[in-house]
Amino acid sequence: MKTVALAASERSRPGLRARLFHRGAYQWYAGTIFGLAYQAFSIYYVWALPGSVGFKISATLLLCIFYLGYIVLPPLIWPESVRVRVLALTLYWIATIVLVPFIGAYVIWIWPLIVAMIAFTWLPFLPSILLTLAIVAVQVFVAWRADFVNGVIYAPVVTVTVFVSLMAISRQIVANQQLKDAQATIGALAAADERARLARDLHDVLGHSLTVVAVKSELAGRLVELDPEQAVVEIRDIERLARTALADLRAAVTTYREMNLDSELSAARTALDAAGIRAHLPLDGSIVDSTLRPLFSWVLREGVTNVIRHSGATECWVELEPRAMRVRDDGPGPGIAASFGKTAGNGLAGLRERAREAGAELNATTVVDGGFMLSIEKSRA
């Protein structure tokens, strides 16, 4: 199993070409121009020294090899672990010793390039600071041993300055990327929440309307032979309800729909009458706090739909208070109260989400005298 896991891990890691030729690598290559610009002084120093042309060419070629390493090393080690990245940078630093026979103490002017690589290989702060302090300490030691010739004492100052400035830039890049990732996550969560809201709204809109359409269709079917004129009235109501449901659906999709408690009371009365259930409803919802009316409209719609679909009731009561509402029937009940909060249907689950978002409490219970009650209440606290 370990062999299989290792093989899978190796396959998932980017290859050499993928590491060297991607957007991040190109950005790094562009940034190295600034790091290499001052290295022109190193080339000038080599050619200003006494010695043969062959010696100077060898030193120049060796410097160019190190500059090439500076360009390609970070993209190569970005996918690696922190330990591998630290080891690679340390070995690069140690390898610069081969330059000492050519440029002597001036080799410490190459080391700010290593600090730039430290900043942009995204090492944690502690390894970054420890490796940089080690470089600076050796720079100070080399400058002291060289009796601070040719101003090499300034190399540690330059190194520290490079480290502070580039670490600040790299950390800003990391922070910006984290912000982008967070925004992407928030966007995904918002999209998921919107999908859940839309699914909930579609259920609430179509569930109620289609229930009424189904009840009225059954009634119209029975009346076709018994009372054709009344059947025509019911069919027209079905057409009106279907158009209303379509309008609600369009409004829900465009997110501009706002529930109206008075309209829902009127629709509930019509639906209950069509189902042969005696309705005891308030004339309007003016008693309810204005901020709670949309929420109570959803609860009323779902409650009446459940009464028609599942209760087997002959009567239904709707009671309104400023911050509470109860929908009660006298039927044997569908056992929804027992399953509420566990395996309740989409409608009650959606209502519970709405209530929780509004800081209200939704309850589904059986009534002692028989029947089922759906209630919602929001405390003043």
Side-chain angles (χ1 to χ4, degrees), residues 55 138 184-185 330:
F55 174 86
V138 176
T185 301
D330 64 349

Side-chain angles (χ1 to χ4, degrees), residues 135-208:
I135 291 173
V136 171
V138 176
Q139 280 181 321
V140 172
F141 176 77
V142 171
W144 171 67
R145 291 289 295 175
D147 294 326
F148 308 111
V149 64
N150 295 328
V152 291
I153 188 57
Y154 297 112
V157 178
V158 171
T159 301
V160 171
T161 303
V162 170
F163 173 76
V164 173
S165 58
L166 294 187
M167 280 294 290
I169 295 173
S170 68
R171 290 306 184 261
Q172 184 63 47
I173 293 173
V174 171
N176 289 340
Q177 185 59 50
Q178 290 174 339
L179 179 59
K180 290 180 180 178
D181 293 342
Q183 290 173 337
T185 301
I186 292 171
L189 291 174
D193 184 66
E194 182 61 17
R195 284 194 295 270
R197 183 204 66 79
L198 183 58
R200 182 181 63 197
D201 286 1
L202 290 178
H203 171 275
D204 293 345
V205 168
L206 296 182
H208 174 80

Side-chain angles (χ1 to χ4, degrees), residues 147-353:
D147 294 326
F148 308 111
V149 64
N150 295 328
V152 291
I153 188 57
Y154 297 112
V157 178
V158 171
T159 301
V160 171
T161 303
V162 170
F163 173 76
V164 173
S165 58
L166 294 187
M167 280 294 290
I169 295 173
S170 68
R171 290 306 184 261
Q172 184 63 47
I173 293 173
V174 171
N176 289 340
Q177 185 59 50
Q178 290 174 339
L179 179 59
K180 290 180 180 178
D181 293 342
Q183 290 173 337
T185 301
I186 292 171
L189 291 174
D193 184 66
E194 182 61 17
R195 284 194 295 270
R197 183 204 66 79
L198 183 58
R200 182 181 63 197
D201 286 1
L202 290 178
H203 171 275
D204 293 345
V205 168
L206 296 182
H208 174 80
S209 299
L210 293 179
T211 296
V212 178
V213 167
V215 171
K216 281 187 166 289
S217 297
E218 294 175 3
L219 178 59
R222 292 196 299 268
L223 292 175
V224 167
E225 295 182 358
L226 300 176
D227 190 347
E229 292 184 0
Q230 184 61 35
V232 171
V233 173
E234 296 297 333
I235 291 172
R236 288 175 178 171
D237 279 347
I238 292 171
E239 181 183 0
R240 178 183 57 80
L241 287 169
R243 293 184 183 278
T244 300
L246 181 59
D248 284 346
L249 176 60
R250 288 171 175 167
V253 171
T254 55
T255 71
Y256 291 127
R257 173 179 44 78
E258 182 176 350
M259 295 292 286
N260 183 282
L261 185 55
D262 292 343
S263 298
E264 288 304 315
L265 286 169
S266 177
R269 182 177 292 104
T270 300
L272 290 168
D273 289 344
I277 300 174
R278 187 177 180 185
H280 304 274
L281 279 66
L283 294 177
D284 58 52
S286 58
I287 190 175
V288 178
D289 286 357
S290 58
T291 57
L292 295 174
R293 289 175 191 170
L295 174 62
F296 284 12
S297 298
W298 286 116
V299 177
L300 174 63
R301 172 175 285 199
E302 182 65 22
V304 170
T305 299
N306 285 337
V307 169
I308 295 172
R309 281 181 174 176
H310 309 296
S311 70
T314 59
E315 295 189 78
C316 176
W317 294 265
V318 175
E319 302 169 1
L320 294 177
E321 297 178 6
R323 303 177 71 83
M325 183 179 71
R326 289 173 291 277
V327 180
R328 180 169 56 90
D329 63 68
D330 64 349
I336 294 178
S339 63
F340 185 69
K342 298 179 183 178
T343 59
N346 292 332
L348 288 178
L351 288 182
R352 183 172 54 185
E353 293 177 6

Side-chain angles (χ1 to χ4, degrees), residues 349-365:
L351 288 182
R352 183 172 54 185
E353 293 177 6
R354 294 180 191 277
R356 183 168 57 248
E357 292 171 0
E361 182 179 358
L362 184 72
N363 289 298
T365 59

